[in-house]
Amino acid sequence: MSIKSLEDLLAEGVTGRGVLVRSDLNVPLDGDTITDPGRIIASVPTLKALSDAGAKVVVTAHLGRPKGEPDPKFSLKPVAAALADKLGRHVQLAGDVVGSDALARAEGLTDGDILLLENIRFDARETSKDDAERLQLAKALVELVGDDGAFVSDGFGVVHRKQASVYDVATLLPHYAGTLVATEVKVLAQLTDSTQRPYAVVLGGSKVSDKLAVIENLATKADSLIIGGGMCFTFLAAQGLSVGSSLLEESMIETCRKLLDDYGDVLHLPVDIVVAEKFAADSPAETVAADKIPDDKMGLDIGPESVKRFAALLSNAKTVFWNGPMGVFEFPAFAAGTKGVAEAIIGATGKGAFSVVGGGDSAAAVRQLGLPDDGFSHISTGGGASLEYLEGKQLPGIEVLQ
């Protein structure tokens, strides 16, 4: 696929030009405190390169899921401060998305300045299913950078969305992939087109329904597909086992049974489970065999024997893709499964495997559990986008750049 890069844009020259950048700054917040700045850090190289080259940079991004109108708790104010800190230069924050404040600030930009627009999802047109509404917002965004402006797509976490700031603006301006998007596409292409074997996939998270398409697609390509997290209980139930009060998608049991029939030699389920009476950090933990889960208890992590078996499968892998934690890693008593599997992936990487952490909760787990980012070949910034790419879907935000 042929996509123009940031380097192409810089070679054409950006001094004095307005450049609209779609970044992914959707970071987790606790009040005003950013608990994982990973996406902000990943956005810095593209913004710094443009600013250093003298562009007038206008950044658009979202935070959380506001309902298409301004909501102070989803303001990008803490993000603007963190971004300025990481860039080592002032970042203005507009008081609106494409209103009078954004317009006035954009007109006042000088070479190298960076302006962050307020949360793009404060404008309902961003996520509208109506093409004309989205195009109207896209035109207002383009107005902020002028007729000789350019668009740089650098928010990989949103390229699977057909939204105004992701898709429609690229139909109106010369468009380029930022450093982050270009890297992500290259990495995912390596997972799909030139995969070194053995290829191991580790999938966790709560629901089978969220991962069904990726399981079906990768079960035909991987040598081993490890299932953990809340979704393993629907697979265990499909084997006829009792899962107590664990998370269970009853509507997916038959689907899981068929997957086990078709790909039983590739799929690997936990053999022991860490259970507790309730979903709470202080609920006493107990390890039981996967076929001996008590009726009054719920599984909150995979057990040590499962970690050992999964680590053995991962030890000789040449390619590893991991998406989704093995248990409730946010609670220390139920974090050992996720940490153990992550350490096994780090071990395989150390022996030369190409390992990709598929964003979302997996990336958060790496940082929360104190594991080294550089223990993996690549940590993606886009959970949903990574999965949809690996499902074989076309991503609108990538397609429009081609």
Side-chain angles (χ1 to χ4, degrees):
M1 78 174 65
S2 176
I3 296 177
K4 281 192 167 182
S5 69
L6 179 67
E7 286 69 34
D8 294 325
L9 173 59
L10 294 172
E12 290 166 23
V14 293
T15 308
R17 284 176 74 187
V19 178
L20 181 70
V21 182
R22 181 37 157 118
S23 295
D24 182 5
L25 305 173
N26 186 28
V27 290
L29 287 177
D30 182 4
D32 279 344
T33 305
I34 295 166
T35 54
D36 178 6
R39 284 177 169 161
I40 293 175
I41 294 165
S43 300
V44 164
T46 291
L47 298 178
K48 188 174 185 314
L50 287 165
S51 174
D52 286 351
K56 298 171 180 176
V57 186
V58 178
V59 185
T60 178
H62 77 281
L63 182 66
R65 294 177 184 241
K67 306 273 190 266
E69 58 187 36
D71 181 341
K73 81 167 180 283
F74 294 115
S75 170
L76 286 172
K77 193 175 176 185
V79 173
L83 188 58
D85 181 55
K86 302 291 180 202
L87 280 163
R89 69 194 63 189
H90 178 60
V91 173
Q92 294 185 55
L93 176 66
D96 48 31
V97 180
V98 287
S100 56
D101 191 54
L103 204 53
R105 287 175 185 270
E107 282 173 359
L109 292 176
T110 58
D111 298 1
D113 283 354
I114 298 177
L115 167 65
L116 174 61
L117 304 178
E118 188 49 284
N119 193 333
I120 187 74
R121 289 188 184 171
F122 285 179
D123 191 314
R125 295 173 295 179
E126 164 73 354
T127 57
S128 174
K129 296 282 183 269
D130 184 319
D131 292 354
E133 283 185 4
R134 287 199 321 274
L135 190 62
Q136 194 183 37
L137 175 57
K139 284 177 176 172
L141 288 167
V142 169
E143 206 180 317
L144 299 175
V145 293
D147 295 339
D148 68 338
F151 171 62
V152 175
S153 175
D154 206 40
F156 182 72
V158 287
V159 292
H160 58 316
R161 307 283 187 211
K162 194 173 185 179
Q163 296 177 345
S165 69
V166 178
Y167 178 86
D168 299 271
V169 288
T171 66
L172 302 172
L173 287 171
H175 43 265
Y176 308 81
T179 308
L180 177 62
V181 162
T183 302
E184 295 273 12
V185 170
K186 188 177 167 194
V187 164
L188 289 171
Q190 199 169 331
L191 281 180
T192 48
D193 305 335
S194 54
T195 316
Q196 272 198 293
R197 310 193 84 100
Y199 179 17
V201 175
V202 181
L203 294 177
S206 54
K207 293 180 174 178
V208 179
S209 51
D210 290 345
K211 305 269 167 84
L212 178 63
V214 85
I215 293 170
E216 289 174 333
N217 200 24
L218 293 182
T220 61
K221 296 173 178 158
D223 298 289
S224 53
L225 202 160
I226 292 163
I227 305 276
M231 67 178 182
C232 77
F233 301 109
T234 306
F235 278 95
L236 293 173
Q239 290 183 323
L241 303 178
S242 167
V243 295
S245 58
S246 306
L247 192 65
L248 180 65
E249 281 188 284
E250 294 205 13
S251 62
M252 298 297 294
I253 290 176
E254 195 48 53
T255 302
C256 289
R257 193 172 288 137
K258 187 171 185 328
L259 286 168
L260 287 165
D261 286 347
D262 292 348
Y263 307 111
D265 54 336
V266 174
L267 294 173
H268 299 273
L269 299 175
V271 292
D272 58 346
I273 300 289
V274 182
V275 298
E277 280 181 13
K278 57 183 193 292
F279 185 87
D282 59 354
S283 192
E286 172 195 355
T287 303
V288 298
D291 59 357
K292 298 277 191 302
I293 298 174
D295 290 345
D296 61 344
K297 296 205 170 164
M298 60 173 66
L300 296 178
D301 195 13
I302 62 172
E305 193 55 40
S306 303
V307 172
K308 209 183 291 180
R309 291 187 181 209
F310 293 167
L313 286 168
L314 292 163
S315 65
N316 69 337
K318 288 279 181 278
T319 306
V320 183
F321 174 69
W322 169 36
N323 181 280
M326 297 292 98
V328 187
F329 71 90
E330 297 90 344
F331 299 160
F334 309 104
T338 302
K339 190 171 189 186
V341 168
E343 286 172 342
I345 297 171
I346 291 170
T349 311
K351 291 193 285 184
F354 177 68
S355 62
V356 177
V357 180
D361 287 342
S362 320
V366 167
R367 297 182 183 114
Q368 193 171 317
L369 297 173
L371 300 165
D373 280 22
D374 60 5
F376 307 89
S377 308
H378 180 72
I379 298 181
S380 177
T381 54
S386 301
L387 287 178
E388 290 198 15
Y389 189 100
L390 293 177
E391 283 168 23
K393 283 186 181 174
Q394 292 290 328
L395 308 182
I398 298 298
E399 260 190 297
V400 76
L401 298 178
Q402 288 171 29

